[in-house]
Amino acid sequence: MLSTFRGSLDVSVFVDIRDVVIDPSLCSQGMGSPGTPWRTSEARRSAGISGRPSPLDHRCDVGPRLRCRNTSTSYLLFCHLRRIINAYRRFAAYTSKRCYTAQNKPSSENPTPKSSTPKSDRSRTWTGVQLGALTTAGVGFGYWAALQQEKEKGANSARELDMSLGSEISRLKAPSTIPYTDYENETKPTYYRDTTRPMHDRMEAFVLDLQDRLVTSLESLEPSRRFVRDRWQREDGNGYGISCILQDGEAYEKAGVNVSVIEGTLAPGQLRSMRERNPHTAQKLSATEEYDFRVAGVSVVVHPRNPYAPTAHKNYRRFEVYRKGERDSGPVLAWFGGGADLTPSYVFEDDIKHFHQTLKHACDVHDKSYYPRFKEWCDKYFTNVHRHETRGVGGIFFDDLEDKEPEELFRFVYDAGNAFIAAYVPIVARRMTMPYAVRERNWQLIRRGHYAEFNLVYDRGTKFGLMTPGARVESILMSLPLTARWEYMNEPERGSPENKLLQAVRTTTDWTK
């Protein structure tokens, strides 16, 4: 039988009962021989025993399995065991003496009684009692020590985690200016002004330009990493993409800015989904015909490292549908889609209001009905139905937008896409240096789990991408966080900052007031 006990001060005691030597002839002197060689320093070193000689070394021959790495603690441990063993010995001696006296008391039937228990048997009884005492005491003390060590280990790991969390803050510094936040006063690019080019080509130029702007502005906050650019080509040759990914940075745990410019044939499931969500689309696209498509879009997802800095998402695209083999005749149907939304783990009303007001301004320049309409659409779309809560605190969202001339819609998408930089990046700059600890980190991971649930269960873009033949899965699932957490029945305390976030995502709020 091998028993292992570990104390809170890194004490390890190994007692193998098979190694214990019990000699009845020595029982009158205690357990084991008083001349046991483990008492000498030379023998202890040769046996691999470290630390001071124990008061019990001459009592029990347990060989080299008895070892302690902390001298003072081992001494206290053995003293503790010795007191217990001595108490057992006194008790055993007392009961043995009383039993012996009772059995050998003279009587009329037995005038000259003799001991019914031979001396050697009594010695064995003594030895068994002491061995039982040693084992019982060791188990009890070892169990207590193990509990103490687990508590100490948990406290130490928590302290170490607390020390490691937020260690990046000292290396972060917000820049004095963030690039491309003043897009309204910049000179408009050529693709914006050149109305003679096909709209698909202009949209392609726009998403590539916006990708560069986003990467530059996000990198202005990141001191240790840069985005990795991964240009890929579809296996069938029908399109390409550029995935810009940053992982394990100081400011960002994961950030992705993806561009895809692809074309192909609509799969039956894709066509059915388009017709079901929009009656106008159902009128334009027949369920029995085949159609080709072209799409150019940019998709952005940013998961900051600091729990106080919110996650954000943005996506803008133009989709064109052609009858099979009739691209030269022009699209049967074309629309813009996209939006931007904010997903914080903690509520900072100033941040949320800034985000919404910036997007509202970009909408109002083109149509004052856009923001309230698209904000409501966003709240409905980005909802985890199974949890009865929105993914975050909203923003704007629209799809199948074709209610105005393509030129006017393109300019709106241009402004909304660039407004995201001014709406979001300054928030990260403000929050990325705030101190945080384990509690905030765990809550952030729980909220990221809810974020992942929406993307995998409800997001139409994810479903469309995965249904597309030859889909590039790595780019489609770029939106998922690097880490997430699911806890059973996690419910924050009423009045806590975490509960405040839950109230925000379970109710609808006008953040522009």
Side-chain angles (χ1 to χ4, degrees):
M1 180 178 69
L2 179 63
S3 301
T4 304
F5 315 118
R6 295 190 179 277
S8 61
L9 294 177
D10 197 20
V11 179
S12 299
V13 180
F14 301 90
V15 179
D16 192 335
I17 302 304
R18 293 171 299 180
D19 291 346
V20 177
V21 178
I22 302 175
D23 188 347
S25 65
L26 300 174
C27 288
S28 61
Q29 304 175 31
M31 289 181 60
S33 169
T36 300
W38 309 119
R39 186 70 172 176
T40 64
S41 300
E42 182 178 354
R44 291 172 62 83
R45 284 195 298 270
S46 64
I49 302 177
S50 60
R52 294 170 54 183
S54 165
L56 296 185
D57 278 347
H58 69 286
R59 298 285 182 178
C60 182
D61 181 4
V62 295
R65 292 182 178 273
L66 183 58
R67 57 187 62 188
C68 295
R69 289 189 293 272
N70 186 294
T71 302
S72 59
T73 307
S74 66
Y75 183 80
L76 294 176
L77 168 62
F78 286 122
C79 287
H80 173 78
L81 294 180
R82 184 176 63 176
R83 286 193 293 270
I84 295 176
I85 292 172
N86 288 338
Y88 269 93
R89 291 182 63 191
R90 288 193 293 271
F91 176 76
Y94 174 74
T95 55
S96 177
K97 181 178 180 180
R98 292 198 59 179
C99 291
Y100 180 81
T101 302
Q103 292 175 359
N104 293 275
K105 185 176 181 181
S107 64
S108 58
E109 293 82 5
N110 186 15
T112 58
K114 294 183 178 180
S115 174
S116 59
T117 304
K119 182 177 181 180
S120 60
D121 291 343
R122 291 200 304 274
S123 299
R124 291 190 180 92
T125 303
W126 275 60
T127 303
V129 169
Q130 294 183 37
L131 181 58
L134 175 63
T135 305
T136 304
V139 170
F141 187 85
Y143 179 73
W144 173 83
L147 292 179
Q148 296 302 313
Q149 187 191 34
E150 288 302 316
K151 292 181 181 178
E152 181 94 8
K153 186 186 297 181
N156 287 339
S157 61
R159 283 193 294 268
E160 291 173 2
L161 188 57
D162 270 326
M163 293 176 63
S164 63
L165 287 176
S167 60
E168 77 282 356
I169 292 175
S170 62
R171 298 184 291 273
L172 293 174
K173 183 179 179 180
S176 56
T177 58
I178 299 174
Y180 304 119
T181 53
D182 190 19
Y183 70 94
E184 290 182 291
N185 296 322
E186 296 175 352
T187 302
K188 296 297 186 288
T190 302
Y191 63 79
Y192 182 90
R193 304 189 307 268
D194 188 1
T195 58
T196 62
R197 295 175 61 183
M199 183 57 68
H200 176 79
D201 295 345
R202 295 172 68 190
M203 188 66 184
E204 178 180 355
F206 165 61
V207 297
L208 290 171
D209 179 40
L210 185 57
Q211 182 184 48
D212 290 339
R213 288 168 166 255
L214 284 162
V215 167
T216 301
S217 62
L218 291 171
E219 282 185 342
S220 68
L221 307 183
E222 177 58 56
S224 63
R225 301 272 183 169
R226 290 294 176 263
F227 280 85
V228 175
R229 291 178 177 264
D230 177 22
R231 185 181 179 94
W232 49 270
Q233 197 82 19
R234 281 173 58 98
E235 294 181 359
D236 57 10
N238 293 327
Y240 70 95
I242 302 175
S243 298
C244 296
I245 306 296
L246 189 154
Q247 290 185 160
D248 289 319
E250 306 287 352
Y252 311 107
E253 188 167 348
K254 184 179 180 183
V257 186
N258 287 2
V259 161
S260 58
V261 182
I262 62 174
E263 58 187 60
T265 300
L266 281 178
Q270 294 171 324
L271 179 60
R272 182 168 55 253
S273 176
M274 291 179 183
R275 299 183 77 256
E276 289 175 352
R277 76 168 185 258
N278 191 332
H280 178 66
T281 303
Q283 294 177 359
K284 290 287 189 75
L285 302 180
S286 171
T288 59
E289 290 189 48
E290 288 188 340
Y291 296 92
D292 293 331
F293 74 92
R294 289 200 303 177
V295 61
V298 58
S299 179
V300 183
V301 177
V302 182
H303 296 289
R305 183 170 297 280
N306 195 305
Y308 293 119
T311 289
H313 157 262
K314 181 190 78 167
N315 178 284
Y316 290 102
R317 62 194 174 277
R318 175 174 168 83
F319 204 97
E320 298 178 351
V321 180
Y322 303 83
R323 286 188 172 85
K324 186 73 173 178
E326 299 181 11
R327 182 176 298 179
D328 294 339
S329 301
V332 177
L333 195 63
W335 67 83
F336 290 90
D341 64 288
L342 196 68
T343 307
S345 298
Y346 289 91
V347 174
F348 293 94
E349 293 188 5
D350 290 345
D351 294 348
I352 302 173
K353 289 180 178 180
H354 167 78
F355 186 82
H356 279 266
Q357 288 169 353
T358 305
L359 296 182
K360 182 179 184 298
H361 174 72
C363 292
D364 289 348
V365 171
H366 301 272
D367 191 325
K368 291 188 180 298
S369 69
Y370 274 179
Y371 175 77
R373 176 179 156 197
F374 296 161
K375 195 265 184 187
E376 181 182 3
W377 201 341
C378 180
D379 290 338
K380 290 181 178 180
Y381 177 74
F382 291 105
T383 297
N384 272 331
V385 180
H386 59 288
R387 293 192 179 274
H388 306 289
E389 63 185 38
T390 57
R391 187 175 73 175
V393 294
I396 60 173
F397 175 81
F398 58 92
D399 208 356
D400 304 322
L401 189 63
E402 50 173 344
D403 59 345
K404 291 181 170 59
E405 290 296 321
E407 182 63 31
E408 189 172 351
L409 294 177
F410 174 72
R411 295 189 176 189
F412 161 64
V413 169
Y414 174 89
D415 286 346
N418 281 284
F420 175 82
I421 300 176
Y424 176 64
V425 181
I427 296 176
V428 179
R430 280 198 299 270
R431 303 301 172 191
M432 67 182 182
T433 56
M434 291 183 63
Y436 62 94
V438 178
R439 169 176 169 170
E440 291 77 16
R441 173 61 172 169
N442 286 342
W443 178 245
Q444 178 193 46
L445 296 180
I446 290 172
R447 296 308 305 174
R448 284 184 178 172
H450 294 190
Y451 189 96
E453 289 172 15
F454 176 86
N455 284 26
L456 294 174
V457 177
Y458 302 107
D459 188 68
R460 289 207 300 257
T462 301
K463 293 180 178 179
F464 181 89
L466 295 177
M467 286 191 296
T468 302
R472 193 170 192 270
V473 178
E474 290 294 328
S475 296
I476 296 170
L477 298 182
M478 172 274 299
S479 63
L480 296 179
L482 196 63
T483 53
R485 182 184 180 95
W486 282 266
E487 288 187 8
Y488 182 73
M489 298 295 289
N490 178 278
E491 190 69 28
E493 296 180 2
R494 187 182 300 273
S496 65
E498 293 80 10
N499 184 261
K500 183 178 181 181
L501 185 278
L502 287 186
Q503 300 308 313
V505 298
R506 291 173 180 174
T507 57
T508 301
T509 304
D510 184 358
W511 296 103
T512 59
K513 293 182 178 180

